Amino acid sequence: MKKSLLIGLAAGFAMVTGALAADPIKIVYIGKNTGNPYFDSITGGFEDACEKLGCEFEFVAPATAEATSQIPFIEAQIQRGVNVIGIAPNSPDALNQVLDAAKAKGILVLTVNGDLVGNESHRDATILPVDFTKTGPNQIELTGSLIGYEGEIAILSATTEAPDQNTWIAAMNETLKNDPKYAKMTLVATVYGDDQPEKSTTEMEALLANYPNLKAVIAPTTVGIAAAAQVVQSRGIADKVAVTGLGLPSEMRDFIKDGTVKAFQLWSPYNEGWLAVHFALGVLDGSIKNEVGNTFEVENLGTIKIEEKNAMNTQAELTTFDINNIDNFNF
């Protein structure tokens, strides 16, 4: 009995020392492009969660947001042997093959802040800020409320291939077409600033030149809305052209306070990174089963449910920011 006890103790000691020697889980998040402050907030959620839960985190991104620009970054992480790849995809289909290669190596693949629309089988799950089917209609309603539900409007988007923006734009078009409430609103143009401040500014200026009766511009991208607001502010035409869309409170605060922008919307990007880490570690240690219908608890977020197509949302609805609440948000 003493011998068996010694053997048992030795085995237990070996298990403990083996666990202590194990490398920490490595998580990487691949953003759409560098120089986009929106991803700073998401990255903050990843960093804080990894610091709390004990994993390694790194953020990487290509210089530009073309459809294939993220491929070499994914390949590099496969070679590194990371445990989890999170990605804000620049294309709904251009990444399929390389993401399949990552999954084949046992890497957990999560889309975070955008999904592979129509190609969801090439990732394991998606972390979204809200139910994206509501984003387009919510943006049209906010825009309508700013212009009395009448007049010409335009959209200043990110890239032509951005799957999340394209999903919202399609829903905006459907809402304008099918809801009689918006019958007097006309979408005259959709342009693309490629999530670059300079190009977004140029596109905004072109919209104003080409459509002199323009009443509003919707920019469902943080880079685009800031650029559009800057143009309207510099021209002093906030009383003629409303700017709205999806923006960061930290970047839009001055525009709200000086009246350039009356209202815009977003969510908490930080919570996406926070949720992604908790979910990934839970899946890897077996405490969370990545199956539709399952629920799990996340500190500060409460109960999270895995919805259809293995999608999770950090909050139910978009948050609208205006002069009354803008100072309550710091991201």
Side-chain angles (χ1 to χ4, degrees):
M1 290 182 65
K2 290 183 178 179
K3 183 176 181 181
S4 62
L5 178 60
L6 289 172
I7 291 173
L9 289 172
F13 180 74
M15 290 176 65
V16 171
T17 56
L20 291 173
D23 291 333
I25 298 297
K26 295 180 176 64
I27 300 176
V28 65
Y29 182 52
I30 304 173
K32 287 178 176 291
N33 58 296
T34 56
N36 187 337
Y38 176 82
F39 291 100
D40 294 343
S41 184
I42 297 179
T43 298
F46 273 101
E47 290 173 338
D48 288 351
C50 269
E51 182 177 353
K52 182 178 181 63
L53 300 177
C55 50
E56 292 183 359
F57 172 73
E58 182 180 2
F59 172 79
V60 296
T64 57
E66 279 86 10
T68 59
S69 62
Q70 294 167 315
I71 290 176
F73 289 83
I74 300 169
E75 292 172 336
Q77 301 311 316
I78 295 172
Q79 289 297 315
R80 279 186 62 208
V82 300
N83 305 98
V84 181
I85 290 177
I87 186 168
N90 282 332
S91 169
D93 51 23
L95 309 176
N96 292 351
Q97 185 174 352
V98 69
L99 291 179
D100 285 347
K103 291 176 64 178
K105 291 289 187 179
I107 298 172
L108 183 69
V109 174
L110 307 177
T111 52
V112 181
N113 193 68
D115 204 5
L116 304 170
V117 180
N119 293 282
E120 292 86 357
S121 64
H122 299 280
R123 49 71 169 165
D124 292 295
T126 189
I127 310 289
L128 302 175
V130 292
D131 180 355
F132 276 174
T133 64
K134 299 178 181 179
T135 303
N138 284 355
Q139 291 271 276
I140 292 297
E141 169 56 28
L142 177 58
T143 305
S145 71
L146 295 173
I147 61 172
Y149 301 95
E150 184 174 351
E152 296 181 355
I153 66 172
I155 297 171
L156 170 58
S157 188
T159 66
T160 57
E161 298 240 8
D164 41 3
Q165 272 86 6
N166 286 346
T167 297
W168 305 332
I169 291 169
M172 290 182 204
N173 279 281
E174 285 297 312
T175 301
L176 290 168
K177 178 182 176 181
N178 297 322
D179 192 330
K181 184 176 184 178
Y182 312 110
K184 294 183 179 180
M185 293 168 58
T186 304
L187 179 63
V188 295
T190 300
V191 299
Y192 303 89
D194 292 348
D195 262 352
Q196 298 175 4
E198 298 83 0
K199 191 171 191 300
S200 297
T201 297
T202 300
E203 293 293 344
M204 179 63 183
E205 291 172 338
L207 284 173
L208 295 175
N210 294 332
Y211 302 96
N213 296 320
L214 198 63
K215 291 293 184 66
V217 173
I218 306 172
T221 161
T222 59
V223 176
I225 190 174
Q230 184 66 56
V231 171
V232 167
Q233 182 190 61
S234 65
R235 295 191 180 198
I237 56 172
D239 59 331
K240 297 182 177 65
V241 180
V243 172
T244 191
L246 303 178
L248 290 168
S250 59
E251 293 189 325
M252 300 302 294
R253 184 171 287 108
D254 289 346
F255 296 123
I256 287 286
K257 290 193 169 185
D258 71 7
T260 299
V261 175
K262 299 298 184 186
F264 66 97
Q265 295 175 320
L266 199 65
W267 43 77
S268 171
Y270 176 95
N271 288 342
E272 297 176 76
W274 181 261
L275 173 55
V277 171
H278 283 77
F279 174 75
L281 295 184
V283 170
L284 293 177
D285 70 18
S287 62
I288 296 175
K289 293 191 181 301
N290 182 24
E291 297 175 355
V292 173
N294 280 351
T295 61
F296 57 96
E297 298 298 315
V298 175
E299 182 181 355
N300 300 329
L301 297 182
T303 302
I304 301 295
K305 183 177 181 180
I306 303 176
E307 305 284 357
E308 184 181 356
K309 298 181 181 179
N310 300 85
M312 288 154 278
N313 303 320
T314 63
Q315 63 189 73
E317 299 284 346
L318 292 174
T319 299
T320 298
F321 306 93
D322 57 24
I323 193 64
N324 297 310
N325 67 358
I326 189 68
D327 283 333
N328 297 334
F329 301 91
N330 297 316
F331 61 88

